[in-house]
Amino acid sequence: MSKRRDGVGVGVVNGCLYALGGNDSSASNPNFSRFDCVERYDPKTDTWTMVAPMSVPRSEVGVCVLGDRLMAVGGYDGQQCLTLVEAYDPHLNEWEPVAPLKTGRAGLCVAVVKNLTQ
């Protein structure tokens, strides 16, 4: 990767690994920066590429795949836990906001459960 990252979110879509956000130092250092950038690793070409950034720099973002989109859920922007949820379309290389969380969350695990019946 081009950036060293702590508190990074990761997910896999279409056979590529994505590294979302994070920060450039340990949480014990009060002067570290958070990232909005996203990098994609393609194992077929063994290369990392920067893709469209998220709308807000954040670390500890939850990540999952829903359909063919990568979901970035919550995170921490240095001031607060976020309610922000964004969806990344790898075909268009674009992020779009989706319905926010009711309560800000960071460091969360996110999973998609298919075919639930009630």
Side-chain angles (χ1 to χ4, degrees), residues 69-93:
R69 299 190 315 167
L70 196 64
M71 308 298 289
V73 181
Y76 185 69
D77 68 0
Q79 302 295 317
Q80 63 185 348
C81 293
L82 303 173
T83 60
L84 177 64
V85 180
E86 296 180 282
Y88 176 73
D89 183 328
H91 304 292
L92 299 176
N93 191 31

Side-chain angles (χ1 to χ4, degrees), residues 51-106:
V51 298
M54 297 180 292
S55 66
V56 173
R58 52 187 156 156
S59 59
E60 303 173 46
V61 59
V63 181
C64 70
V65 176
L66 185 58
D68 63 350
R69 299 190 315 167
L70 196 64
M71 308 298 289
V73 181
Y76 185 69
D77 68 0
Q79 302 295 317
Q80 63 185 348
C81 293
L82 303 173
T83 60
L84 177 64
V85 180
E86 296 180 282
Y88 176 73
D89 183 328
H91 304 292
L92 299 176
N93 191 31
E94 293 178 349
W95 288 93
E96 75 173 298
V98 296
L101 299 170
K102 292 189 184 294
T103 304
R105 303 275 185 207

Side-chain angles (χ1 to χ4, degrees), residues 1 5 12-13 27 31 39 41 49 56 68 89-90 99 102 114:
M1 287 188 293
R5 298 168 188 255
V12 176
V13 74
N31 298 317
E39 293 184 70
Y41 175 71
T49 306
V56 173
D68 63 350
D89 183 328
K102 292 189 184 294
K114 298 180 181 181

